[in-house]
Amino acid sequence: GAPSGGDDAAAAAPQGVERPVAPDALDALLRVLSNPTVADKTFLITIADRTVTGRVHRDQMCGPWQLPVADNAVVTLGYHGLEGSAMACGERSPVAVADAPASGRLAVAEAVLNLASAGVPELGQVKLSANWMAACGQPGQDAALFDTVKAVAEDFCPAAGLSIPVGKDSCSMSTVWDGRTQLSPVSLVVSAFGPVPDVSVGVTPDLKRRGGTSLALVDFSGGLRRLGGSVLAQCWGMLGGDVPDFADPKALVAFWPVFQRLLKEGRILAAHDVSDGGLAVAVAEMAMAGGCGVRLKFAQSGTQQETLAALFAEEPGMVLQVADVDLSAVESAFFGAGLSFVRLGSVTPDSRFLSAKFGETVKLDVSIARLRSAWSETSACMRELRDNPESAAAERQAAADERDPGLSFEMTYDPASLPVIANASARPRVAIFREEGVNGHVEMAAAFDAAGFEAVDVHVTDLVEGRESLARFAGLAACGGFSYGDVLGAGSGWAGTILHNAKLRDAFAAFFARPETFTLGVCNGCQMVSQLRSIIPGAEDWPRFIHNRSTRFEARYATVEVMRSPSVLLRGMEGSRIPIAVAHGEGFARFETEDARMRLLMDECAALRYVDNSGAPTERYPFNPNGSAGGLTGFTTRDGRATIMMPHPERGFRSVQLSYRPDGFCDGEAGPWLRMFRNARAFVG
């Protein structure tokens, strides 16, 4: 699926490349974007739960289209305050084919630069973990490993004030295949960790749609543009030549305090390090994730060959988006620290990617949608082989849709408002109910605690053995996870434990019958509670939940509409379109009959439904991750006391839990779903 380079390759190669490459910049960009090293990794990311614990502030996905371009991961240390921790990775193994020590220095620099935008105040607070891999015992490899370890651990890191307190090694990275010995180059994978006093300070790579902003590059290469080991060179079957390096660790020392100060001052709107694919890829990823156009300009005239080097050399650097009114001040700050600051061009409200050079026009004028299509091609092909081909095709179409406005939300209520509570000083007990394999109970307890409840951990065995009684609780929250590893189907084993134990069945039936109680089932808990419908008044038409149409576990950041319903938990939220975390493999709502679904709708007992980015109810993938008819994903009883939903509201009761929120949306502490838990508190009185 990669674009063809044609037969009109230039006679001269860019610096560091040993034989001609295609001279067309657009052809080169599309090839590099579709290379597996650079390409979209959505197919790997959406099949694993990345919101569990409810303390994840920054995951892989960024911006209104939720593209995996994040440089770092950030978690909060708890459910109060903004203090957190960040981590990032770096590796540059292809460079080691030509220069192993250079690859080690670049790996450290990449990890550190990736971490910078998270807001770790001091470089000395960053700690590294080093994973060394080499084909020891093979000619030249022991020496290459020794030289790299020395360059990193004795020279580079001490000079930068960095320490490596932990690491591991794999020193048998060779194999014999078909009579030939295959070697892995010396590879260093660096993980960087650091404390974050305020997780809200950090920025992401997606360009922000604001008037009057520019792009700039903090360049650590000294103006060099070496293409050896680059993805561009690999696309044309070449690896050798002069490779990039990070020669001066003191540059990191100078960069860190300046960058962190500008972050705290709010002068950096977006940031992305330059690594695999070079400057062109860094800027393209920023543009795709933000849906903005860019106009790149290079101050010096040069040949087409030099332009390719400027765009695709993988020299270390950091691309910044800065408001035009702050540009001179930011430039002065970096110049004052002795660092190279290069103005790259402007951010535009359209959706074109254009590169121009003074003295010579470069043929690189392309829509963001075409770049996105090339970048996502590899991911789409993998999904078509692995998943439901229809779902994979739908996601491919969504990626190419130039009319898609991206995520947009609307709330009909103030998330920080507190419903009237008759006895606000009391803390009624809510059972945070779980079974073996459930993993969403801690964030559920935190959400109810924030709403004024006393959250009590209740395991099935606590009820079976009499340590707890449902009679002592005002509410019951069945949590998400994988009860019994889901080997018995969605919540079936958990539900069976209750239905086939006379003592438990009677206890639950009595709880559901008490008019002053409420019940919430989320994810695996939703699946389980739905199978108790025979003992829940008004739940007779609820569906069961089976495998998603995609046939895969779906971890998504989706938009749901709160429908008009009698749910006591969703009062005052009707008509809102709000973000929510999705993490389930069996969320397709299967009704016993079509009449049952229609009765739920007529009785207004359908409570939540997925909507697309235009706000319309949808069955389209990936906007509806499970494919349920009408987008339905939440239900309630006719009296509204029991509510079930597949996505995770407890992972959005704080604003810092949201993977993406546009300017002006949930600017305070409260997330959009805190209101639901406060509604429960108001109902109890």
Side-chain angles (χ1 to χ4, degrees):
S4 170
D7 297 323
D8 54 347
Q15 179 183 355
V17 176
E18 298 155 344
R19 59 178 192 269
V21 300
D24 181 70
L26 175 57
D27 181 34
L29 179 57
L30 295 177
R31 283 199 184 203
V32 168
L33 285 173
S34 63
N35 184 280
T37 300
V38 171
D40 183 358
K41 306 299 189 303
T42 295
F43 76 99
L44 289 174
I45 295 166
T46 57
I47 59 172
D49 190 347
R50 63 181 189 277
T51 56
V52 66
T53 72
R55 295 193 293 111
V56 177
H57 170 67
R58 164 58 32 225
D59 62 18
Q60 298 97 325
M61 302 300 199
C62 298
W65 291 272
Q66 288 293 277
L67 301 188
V69 298
D71 287 329
N72 48 62
V74 183
V75 297
T76 58
L77 297 186
Y79 300 100
H80 304 280
L82 297 175
E83 189 177 2
S85 179
M87 68 88 62
C89 295
E91 64 83 28
R92 300 304 298 278
S93 300
V95 172
V97 174
D99 189 334
S103 75
R105 289 186 287 266
L106 287 171
V108 173
E110 182 179 23
V112 171
L113 291 176
N114 275 333
L115 194 68
S117 57
V120 179
E122 299 177 10
L123 185 59
Q125 295 175 305
V126 176
K127 304 302 178 186
L128 306 181
S129 172
N131 185 358
W132 299 93
M133 291 169 280
C136 291
Q138 298 295 328
Q141 296 304 300
D142 294 54
L145 176 61
F146 179 90
D147 292 343
T148 308
V149 172
K150 183 178 185 303
V152 168
E154 292 189 6
D155 300 331
F156 191 90
C157 286
L162 297 166
S163 63
I164 310 177
V166 68
K168 66 180 293 291
D169 61 79
S170 301
C171 294
S172 56
M173 302 298 290
S174 64
T175 189
V176 177
W177 180 261
D178 197 22
R180 298 177 60 189
T181 299
Q182 306 291 333
L183 305 181
S184 170
V186 171
S187 301
L188 170 61
V189 179
V190 177
S191 300
F193 305 86
V196 180
D198 183 348
V199 298
S200 66
V201 168
V203 297
T204 50
D206 49 297
L207 294 178
K208 309 305 185 288
R209 289 192 167 191
R210 300 181 186 178
T213 67
S214 295
L215 290 179
L217 171 68
V218 180
D219 181 16
F220 297 100
S221 73
L224 298 174
R225 295 294 179 262
R226 296 161 289 196
L227 282 169
S230 66
V231 176
L232 176 70
Q234 294 173 52
C235 286
W236 272 268
M238 294 166 279
L239 276 176
D242 294 336
V243 296
D245 202 346
F246 201 111
D248 183 12
K250 294 296 184 183
L252 280 180
V253 178
F255 167 79
W256 201 268
V258 175
F259 185 79
Q260 299 307 320
R261 175 173 63 81
L262 294 172
L263 268 186
K264 290 188 67 174
E265 293 173 354
R267 296 178 187 266
I268 307 297
L269 303 179
H272 201 18
D273 81 305
V274 179
S275 56
D276 295 312
L279 176 65
V281 166
V283 176
E285 288 182 343
M286 297 174 78
M288 289 186 292
C292 299
V294 294
R295 298 290 186 273
L296 296 180
K297 295 182 179 180
F298 298 94
Q300 77 282 4
S301 61
T303 65
Q304 195 84 336
Q305 161 187 337
E306 292 169 332
T307 302
L308 285 174
L311 290 171
F312 298 106
E314 297 172 8
E315 302 285 358
M318 183 76 86
V319 180
L320 310 177
Q321 181 188 16
V322 180
D324 290 343
V325 295
D326 291 330
L327 191 58
S328 294
V330 172
E331 183 177 54
S332 296
F334 283 112
F335 278 159
L339 298 168
S340 173
F341 185 86
V342 182
R343 298 191 183 195
L344 295 176
S346 59
V347 179
T348 65
D350 62 11
S351 57
R352 305 294 295 181
F353 185 105
L354 179 67
S355 172
K357 179 188 283 291
F358 295 131
E360 182 180 346
T361 299
V362 177
K363 188 178 180 182
L364 181 49
D365 184 0
V366 60
S367 70
I368 298 300
R370 187 176 179 192
L371 295 181
R372 170 83 184 276
S373 181
W375 184 66
S376 297
E377 178 74 11
T378 300
S379 186
C381 290
M382 293 295 290
R383 294 194 74 102
E384 286 175 356
L385 292 171
R386 187 192 65 188
D387 305 345
N388 182 342
E390 292 182 2
S391 298
E395 188 163 36
R396 182 197 292 259
Q397 291 169 3
D401 185 1
E402 295 189 63
R403 298 168 298 175
D404 181 2
L407 290 168
S408 60
F409 313 123
E410 180 179 350
M411 283 189 293
T412 59
Y413 60 95
D414 178 359
S417 65
L418 184 65
V420 176
I421 297 174
N423 186 7
S425 61
R427 294 186 70 83
R429 301 175 90 222
V430 58
I432 308 301
F433 188 44
R434 63 188 178 97
E435 174 57 292
E436 178 184 347
V438 164
N439 59 15
H441 53 292
V442 178
E443 57 264 43
M444 184 71 79
F448 276 104
D449 178 79
F453 284 91
E454 178 189 351
V456 181
D457 181 33
V458 178
H459 194 276
V460 171
T461 55
D462 294 325
L463 299 177
V464 171
E465 298 173 10
R467 290 187 295 271
E468 281 289 0
S469 169
L470 291 179
R472 294 197 286 266
F473 293 95
L476 172 74
C479 305
F482 306 91
S483 60
Y484 296 107
D486 275 353
V487 296
L488 300 176
S492 296
W494 192 2
T497 302
I498 297 168
L499 294 175
H500 300 301
N501 181 306
K503 177 183 174 181
L504 285 184
R505 182 186 178 99
D506 291 346
F508 275 86
F511 177 86
F512 295 139
R514 286 166 50 200
E516 72 275 14
T517 65
F518 71 88
T519 301
L520 171 64
V522 169
C523 192
N524 199 224
C526 166
Q527 297 161 349
M528 183 275 289
V529 175
S530 74
Q531 295 182 53
L532 303 183
R533 61 187 180 274
S534 62
I535 60 173
I536 302 176
E540 298 83 4
D541 291 323
W542 279 0
R544 293 186 63 155
F545 295 89
I546 61 174
H547 286 288
N548 300 330
R549 279 188 173 173
S550 67
T551 74
R552 288 291 164 187
F553 182 93
E554 293 289 344
R556 300 280 181 173
Y557 187 63
T559 307
V560 292
E561 178 187 3
V562 181
M563 304 168 69
R564 180 177 176 179
S565 79
S567 173
V568 300
L569 301 182
L570 299 174
R571 286 175 179 171
M573 301 171 66
E574 300 88 349
S576 297
R577 300 193 307 273
I578 47 184
I580 196 166
V582 173
H584 59 253
E586 297 174 281
F588 181 87
R590 185 179 70 181
F591 295 88
E592 295 294 335
T593 65
E594 179 61 17
D595 288 344
R597 187 175 78 90
M598 295 307 299
R599 280 194 300 271
L600 277 172
L601 290 170
M602 288 188 294
D603 292 343
E604 296 186 335
C605 289
L608 291 178
R609 59 186 174 188
Y610 292 113
V611 295
D612 62 22
N613 288 342
S614 65
T618 186
E619 297 175 14
R620 290 176 56 209
Y621 183 83
F623 309 106
N624 178 339
N626 52 52
S628 298
L632 299 179
T633 190
F635 306 91
T636 191
T637 50
R638 284 188 289 273
D639 65 2
R641 291 191 301 109
T643 301
I644 59 173
M645 58 186 70
M646 279 308 303
H648 288 270
E650 75 280 11
R651 299 178 187 179
F653 78 94
R654 302 187 70 205
S655 61
V656 294
Q657 295 172 314
L658 303 181
S659 177
Y660 165 75
R661 51 190 170 114
D663 290 342
F665 183 82
C666 289
D667 286 336
E669 161 66 17
W673 291 100
L674 180 60
R675 178 63 176 268
M676 189 187 84
F677 297 96
R678 285 178 168 171
N679 280 341
R681 180 65 186 85
F683 171 75
V684 172

